[in-house]
Amino acid sequence: VYTHIINKARDYVYITTPYLVPERKMVEDLCRAARSGVDVKIIVPHIYDKWYVYMVNVANYGPLIANGVHVYEYMPGFIHSKTVVCDDECAICGTINMDYRSFYLHYECGVFLSEMGAVYDMKNDFLSTMEKCEEIQLDKWNKRPWYQRLIQFVLKIISPML
C-alpha cells in the first residue's frame, strides 16, 4: 500500500515514522516521486529511543535528500507517529514503521482512510508538527564525522534485523 501511494502521488506525500530504515525499492520509489515533482516530506525523531536505529536513520538521509526528498527531525522529543498522507485523498495511520521488519515480518496494521475529513486532519497535523522540526541539509549531512559514517555503514548492513 505504501508503494502504491508513493508511486501514484501527484502533489505530495507526507510521512512520519520513528524508524526510517527503508529497503532499496522504497528509497527508489521515494526518490522517483520527489524527482518527478511530488513534494515528499518525512518527519523522524531527533531524540531517539534506540541509538543504533537513529544512526541508520541518519545514514539513509543522504540519498533521499540528494534526490529531492525533504527530511525533518522533530526537535522537542521522540515522535512515535506512523502516518502517510497523500494528495488530500488518502492516508494511513497505524503501527507500521518504515522498515523491513514492519513491512515483512511483524504483520503490522494500519487504517487506510480515503476521501474523508480525517485525511485533512492528518495533513494539518503533519504541517503543524513540521513547525517543530529542523530540516536536514545535505551539506550538513555530508560533514558527519568519519566515525559516525563508519558506524552507520556497519549498522546499515544489518539494518533489516534492527
Side-chain angles (χ1 to χ4, degrees):
V1 174
Y2 275 46
T3 300
H4 182 75
I5 289 172
I6 293 165
N7 288 327
K8 295 296 183 184
R10 296 176 314 279
D11 298 318
Y12 73 86
V13 176
Y14 297 158
I15 299 168
T16 58
T17 182
Y19 309 122
L20 182 62
V21 189
E23 60 178 307
R24 183 186 53 80
K25 173 82 168 81
M26 182 67 69
V27 171
E28 290 172 0
D29 291 342
L30 290 164
C31 292
R32 185 180 315 106
R35 286 191 311 266
S36 71
V38 175
D39 183 22
V40 180
K41 291 182 170 38
I42 302 173
I43 295 176
V44 295
H46 175 71
I47 298 172
Y48 49 86
D49 63 339
K50 297 176 178 90
W51 70 270
Y52 49 90
V53 177
Y54 177 74
M55 294 299 274
V56 176
N57 278 3
V58 172
N60 287 310
Y61 295 171
L64 294 168
I65 296 168
N67 282 280
V69 175
H70 299 276
V71 178
Y72 299 84
E73 287 187 350
Y74 179 74
M75 302 310 285
F78 183 69
I79 188 166
H80 205 247
S81 178
K82 300 153 188 163
T83 64
V84 177
V85 183
C86 178
D87 291 343
D88 293 341
E89 294 175 358
C90 63
I92 299 174
C93 181
T95 65
I96 308 162
N97 294 305
M98 190 164 270
D99 65 7
Y100 180 84
R101 292 170 59 130
S102 286
F103 286 141
Y104 299 106
L105 300 177
H106 288 165
Y107 301 103
E108 303 277 356
C109 59
V111 175
F112 179 82
L113 307 165
S114 179
E115 300 177 9
M116 58 184 354
V119 174
Y120 298 106
D121 294 341
M122 289 176 65
K123 176 186 178 183
N124 291 333
D125 182 67
F126 183 93
L127 295 172
S128 67
T129 301
M130 238 178 62
E131 294 172 7
K132 300 174 189 126
C133 295
E134 181 178 303
E135 185 170 6
I136 305 303
Q137 302 298 323
L138 188 58
D139 59 338
K140 181 181 174 187
W141 182 83
N142 282 327
K143 293 178 183 171
R144 305 182 321 285
W146 67 268
Y147 59 88
Q148 282 184 2
R149 291 174 187 241
L150 179 62
I151 292 168
Q152 291 165 351
F153 174 79
V154 172
L155 288 173
K156 198 165 178 178
I157 293 170
I158 62 167
S159 65
M161 296 181 290
L162 297 177

